[in-house]
Amino acid sequence: MALVTTTPTINDGPVFAEVDMGSDFNAPTVRATVVQASTIFYDTPATLDKAERLVAEAAGYGSQLVVFPEAFVGGYPRGSGFGVSIGNRTAKGREEFRKYHAAAIDVPGPEVDRLAAMAGKYKVYLVMGVIERDGYTLYCTVLFFDSQGHYLGKHRKLMPTALERVIWGFGDGSTIPVFETPIGKIGAAICWENRMPLLRTAMYAKGVEIYCAPTADARDVWRASMTHIALEGGCFVLSANQFCRRKDYPPPPEYVFSGAEEDLTPDSVVCAGGSVIISPSGAVLAGPNYEGEALISADLDLGEIARAKFDFDVVGHYSRPEVLSLIVKDHPTNPVTFTSTSTKIEEKTK
């Protein structure tokens, strides 16, 4: 296989890889881009402006699918402790949450409409990491849009990691979608929930072919997880992470990196990216990139999925349902249900 890459910066062009896998004319090829870039923290309108510039640039290179990092809209609050310790919360931490809540978006809402318009304007399928505001609870969410400018749906992170659980709610089984599109079946899992075998299995059972993995994990070992998922699921894995320096966040004392602020300069890298695209055979098609903000792109030969499934189909010929099986509770779990509302819905369906 021949691997070709180009300059890894947004301004000079995308990190682009083309792998010759002996494409069959019956198997379509999809050009995909993962965006490695930083949020403009506490400034959602400016972040959306930046997102549109990046979508436009990716579309200019012929990309049909553009995947953004975890919490790109709304921001990943790296280093913040929100004033929390066991048995105590501070006034400053509550104010930090108020500001973070204000930067989040409603789904549906005007920001969702703008993202849908972007997807339609540039004729791309768009997978966008956001912080979703539902009343006064926040969720780490991925939104999906088609190339005609339609909002398809969302996935809420099932299990926030560590201190994320203080600021984000938990998703449920009703938002584990896999969308069938003309460019393949697209789904997403966020950051460390990719390490949850049962969640992955649910997505494989839904037939995911382009597995998007927005993340905040820039460690070298992340690529090993992504390679394993590609091999296990017989799918393309597109992992997008932010590349951030300290100056991409508000300065202290407005925003403080707990336990590390005194060691940081404005140019210190606080998230090194590592975005990557991996084929169903485990080949790295593009990335990982640790150099800076970048558009990381590859041509996906969808025929590679069948070639990989011939070897291993985890929910097909390589499954043993009489020994091991999975039940997914995919209904919404609401804390309060009003019987009058339920009765009206039932009457409408009769």
Side-chain angles (χ1 to χ4, degrees), residues 1 7 43 48 112 121 131 171 240 298 317:
M1 294 186 295
T7 310
D43 194 338
L48 289 169
V112 177
K121 179 178 179 180
I131 300 304
H317 62 77

Side-chain angles (χ1 to χ4, degrees), residues 1 43 48 50 61 70-72 111 146 171 184 186 199 221-222 228 235 257 268 303 324 329 346:
M1 294 186 295
D43 194 338
L48 289 169
K50 181 174 183 177
Y61 293 115
E70 177 180 12
F72 185 78
E111 293 85 1
D146 71 15
I186 303 171
L199 173 59
V221 296
W222 181 251
H228 172 76
C235 52
F257 277 71
S268 294
L324 301 168
K329 299 177 181 178
E346 290 175 3

Side-chain angles (χ1 to χ4, degrees), residues 252 261 305:
E261 190 64 58
I305 297 170

Side-chain angles (χ1 to χ4, degrees), residues 126-247:
L126 179 61
V127 178
M128 177 64 71
V130 307
I131 300 304
E132 177 191 358
R133 180 176 55 223
D134 187 352
Y136 289 95
T137 296
L138 303 180
Y139 295 91
C140 184
T141 299
V142 169
L143 306 181
F144 300 84
F145 304 88
D146 71 15
S147 60
Q148 302 303 307
H150 301 127
Y151 167 63
L152 298 177
K154 68 185 178 185
H155 165 62
R156 283 178 171 174
K157 194 172 188 177
L158 282 178
M159 177 54 69
T161 300
L163 198 62
E164 294 173 357
R165 297 172 199 170
V166 172
I167 55 168
W168 296 340
F170 292 54
D172 62 32
S174 69
T175 66
I176 313 175
V178 171
F179 297 101
E180 187 162 1
T181 78
I183 65 168
K185 296 177 182 177
I186 303 171
I190 306 169
C191 206
W192 276 23
E193 67 175 1
N194 284 284
R195 297 169 62 176
M196 299 171 69
L198 302 185
L199 173 59
R200 298 199 307 267
T201 302
M203 292 178 64
Y204 302 150
K206 291 188 174 186
V208 65
E209 296 171 333
I210 301 176
Y211 183 117
C212 302
T215 188
D217 192 340
R219 299 173 304 156
D220 291 342
V221 296
W222 181 251
R223 185 177 123 190
S225 291
M226 298 298 95
T227 301
H228 172 76
I229 292 169
L231 287 168
E232 179 182 67
C235 52
F236 290 95
V237 174
L238 282 62
S239 182
N241 193 8
Q242 298 193 32
F243 183 94
C244 306
R245 299 184 186 274
R246 176 61 185 89
K247 63 187 178 184

Side-chain angles (χ1 to χ4, degrees), residues 6-350:
T6 60
T7 310
T9 62
I10 286 178
N11 292 333
D12 294 336
V15 179
F16 207 95
E18 295 182 2
V19 177
D20 181 5
M21 296 181 284
S23 300
D24 187 296
F25 67 89
N26 288 321
T29 297
V30 174
R31 182 160 293 183
T33 292
V34 295
V35 173
Q36 180 165 290
S38 174
T39 302
I40 301 173
F41 212 81
Y42 288 154
D43 194 338
T44 297
T47 298
L48 289 169
D49 290 343
K50 181 174 183 177
E52 181 158 9
R53 291 194 300 270
L54 296 171
V55 169
E57 191 167 352
Y61 293 115
S63 292
Q64 299 158 273
L65 170 65
V66 183
V67 181
F68 277 77
E70 177 180 12
F72 185 78
V73 176
Y76 186 83
R78 186 175 300 277
S80 178
F82 288 88
V84 172
S85 59
I86 294 176
N88 186 57
R89 297 173 190 253
T90 67
K92 184 177 185 297
R94 291 189 177 98
E95 175 60 12
E96 287 178 10
F97 181 79
R98 184 200 65 77
K99 292 165 68 175
Y100 191 53
H101 178 272
I105 67 171
D106 296 326
V107 180
E111 293 85 1
V112 177
D113 293 341
R114 181 170 178 192
L115 290 166
M118 281 183 214
K121 179 178 179 180
Y122 298 104
K123 305 301 181 188
V124 298
Y125 286 83
L126 179 61
V127 178
M128 177 64 71
V130 307
I131 300 304
E132 177 191 358
R133 180 176 55 223
D134 187 352
Y136 289 95
T137 296
L138 303 180
Y139 295 91
C140 184
T141 299
V142 169
L143 306 181
F144 300 84
F145 304 88
D146 71 15
S147 60
Q148 302 303 307
H150 301 127
Y151 167 63
L152 298 177
K154 68 185 178 185
H155 165 62
R156 283 178 171 174
K157 194 172 188 177
L158 282 178
M159 177 54 69
T161 300
L163 198 62
E164 294 173 357
R165 297 172 199 170
V166 172
I167 55 168
W168 296 340
F170 292 54
D172 62 32
S174 69
T175 66
I176 313 175
V178 171
F179 297 101
E180 187 162 1
T181 78
I183 65 168
K185 296 177 182 177
I186 303 171
I190 306 169
C191 206
W192 276 23
E193 67 175 1
N194 284 284
R195 297 169 62 176
M196 299 171 69
L198 302 185
L199 173 59
R200 298 199 307 267
T201 302
M203 292 178 64
Y204 302 150
K206 291 188 174 186
V208 65
E209 296 171 333
I210 301 176
Y211 183 117
C212 302
T215 188
D217 192 340
R219 299 173 304 156
D220 291 342
V221 296
W222 181 251
R223 185 177 123 190
S225 291
M226 298 298 95
T227 301
H228 172 76
I229 292 169
L231 287 168
E232 179 182 67
C235 52
F236 290 95
V237 174
L238 282 62
S239 182
N241 193 8
Q242 298 193 32
F243 183 94
C244 306
R245 299 184 186 274
R246 176 61 185 89
K247 63 187 178 184
D248 292 317
Y249 287 81
E254 180 183 6
Y255 192 102
V256 175
F257 277 71
S258 300
E261 190 64 58
E262 61 276 7
D263 299 323
L264 299 175
T265 69
D267 286 323
S268 294
V269 175
V270 295
C271 184
S275 303
V276 67
I277 299 175
I278 299 176
S279 82
S281 66
V284 176
L285 303 184
N289 179 285
Y290 299 100
E291 304 301 319
E293 293 199 340
L295 299 178
I296 300 166
S297 301
D299 285 339
L300 314 182
D301 169 18
L302 298 189
E304 186 72 359
I305 297 170
R307 299 181 193 111
K309 297 282 193 182
F310 175 64
D311 293 343
F312 186 84
D313 184 355
V314 68
V315 291
H317 62 77
Y318 224 91
S319 65
R320 287 291 305 279
E322 75 280 16
V323 179
L324 301 168
S325 61
L326 172 66
I327 296 173
V328 180
K329 299 177 181 178
D330 59 356
H331 57 279
T333 54
N334 299 315
V336 179
T337 300
F338 293 95
T339 57
S340 59
T341 304
S342 301
T343 301
K344 290 177 182 177
I345 292 173
E346 290 175 3
E347 289 174 351
K348 287 181 180 179
T349 59
K350 288 180 180 178

